[in-house]
Amino acid sequence: MKNNQLTYHNQIVPYSRDELVAKLKNALTDSRFQHVLRVEQTAMDLAERNGVDVEMASIGGLVHDYAKQRPDKDFIEAIKTYHLDPELLNYGNAIWHGVVGWLFVKTELQITDIDILNAVRYHTVGHQFMTPLEQIVYMADYIEPGRNFPGVDEARKITFDNLQAGVAYQTKQTLSYLVAHNKPVFPQTIVTYNSWVPGSGIE
Ligand SMILES: [Fe+2]
Ligand SMILES: [Fe+2]
């Protein structure tokens, strides 16, 4: 199904897809908004293949980067207001827009579905336990058609063959990249690695 042909029926958000799309368009630069639409479509394709609700996949894909363009001060304030782990203050937007950003999705977009909120929360760092929807948003963000990095075609093939192998592949690549470039590793990323990569059977 094409994303622009989808009508929401399940009352997961208290408004239509068009209204949700308008909220995202308003919150994001055009290039990021286009990325979000591609993630939505890729998430819907993966949902159809994996027996996951396409409406949930659409919403998860659309909202995953909702907080990406917020100023740092919004995240720092939220970390303090919600008494989140102060260790978070040592990181930045790349981690915050998921790990903290889900709180803005909940309060500002009136989305209370825990599966969607966790899909936003874990889309950058993963989690030891991820539901099929969370796996789908994590992978759709990585392999949407606008992505262009060495290995992306292999990542797409693996993911469309086997969603969980895709999660293992991305997790391994991300950790390898961070280590190779002397970048800090958010502790949750290591937890995700230990849960998904050893024994996964990927190369
Ligand atoms: Fe993101
Ligand atoms: Fe994204």
Side-chain angles (χ1 to χ4, degrees):
M1 188 193 288
K2 284 269 167 248
N3 51 2
N4 58 12
Q5 295 162 355
L6 181 66
T7 306
Y8 290 168
H9 296 292
N10 297 333
Q11 263 91 54
I12 302 160
V13 290
Y15 38 77
S16 68
R17 178 181 174 276
D18 284 352
E19 287 168 281
L20 180 55
V21 167
K23 289 174 196 286
L24 270 304
K25 194 170 169 52
N26 197 32
L28 302 173
T29 62
D30 187 58
S31 68
R32 185 150 309 270
F33 174 65
Q34 298 302 327
H35 158 71
V36 156
L37 292 177
R38 292 191 300 267
V39 172
E40 180 199 20
Q41 181 64 61
T42 305
M44 287 168 59
D45 294 345
L46 287 170
E48 279 178 339
R49 273 181 117 77
N50 289 279
V52 169
D53 183 76
V54 289
E55 182 173 330
M56 292 280 281
S58 162
I59 297 167
L62 285 173
V63 304
H64 83 282
D65 272 346
Y66 173 68
K68 182 73 185 177
Q69 272 146 331
R70 311 263 312 205
D72 287 357
K73 70 171 176 43
D74 287 17
F75 293 106
I76 293 165
E77 192 179 297
I79 290 164
K80 291 176 178 164
T81 304
Y82 292 97
H83 299 280
L84 305 183
D85 185 350
E87 166 76 5
L88 276 167
L89 294 168
N90 298 325
Y91 294 83
N93 179 283
I95 298 292
W96 293 340
H97 79 278
V99 174
V100 182
W102 70 278
L103 288 160
F104 301 129
V105 171
K106 182 169 189 254
T107 55
E108 296 171 13
L109 301 182
Q110 295 95 45
I111 293 175
T112 54
D113 186 283
I114 194 69
D115 209 7
I116 288 175
L117 294 176
N118 282 341
V120 177
R121 187 174 188 171
Y122 302 131
H123 85 271
T124 53
V125 297
H127 192 262
Q128 56 267 57
F129 307 111
M130 283 194 274
T131 64
L133 181 76
E134 289 164 46
Q135 296 171 40
I136 282 170
V137 172
Y138 183 73
M139 291 317 303
D141 188 33
Y142 191 62
I143 62 167
E144 59 93 345
R147 295 292 193 199
N148 181 17
F149 55 83
V152 69
D153 286 333
E154 191 181 0
R156 290 184 180 119
K157 183 178 178 313
I158 291 170
T159 306
F160 276 93
D161 277 357
N162 180 330
L163 181 59
Q164 298 191 16
V167 172
Y169 183 89
Q170 175 182 177
T171 301
K172 180 178 173 178
Q173 295 304 317
T174 300
L175 185 58
S176 304
Y177 172 87
L178 293 171
V179 171
H181 291 84
N182 291 349
K183 300 219 184 252
V185 178
F186 190 63
Q188 178 62 45
T189 301
I190 297 171
V191 174
T192 305
Y193 172 87
N194 281 334
S195 171
W196 285 87
V197 179
S200 65
I202 62 160
E203 293 286 308

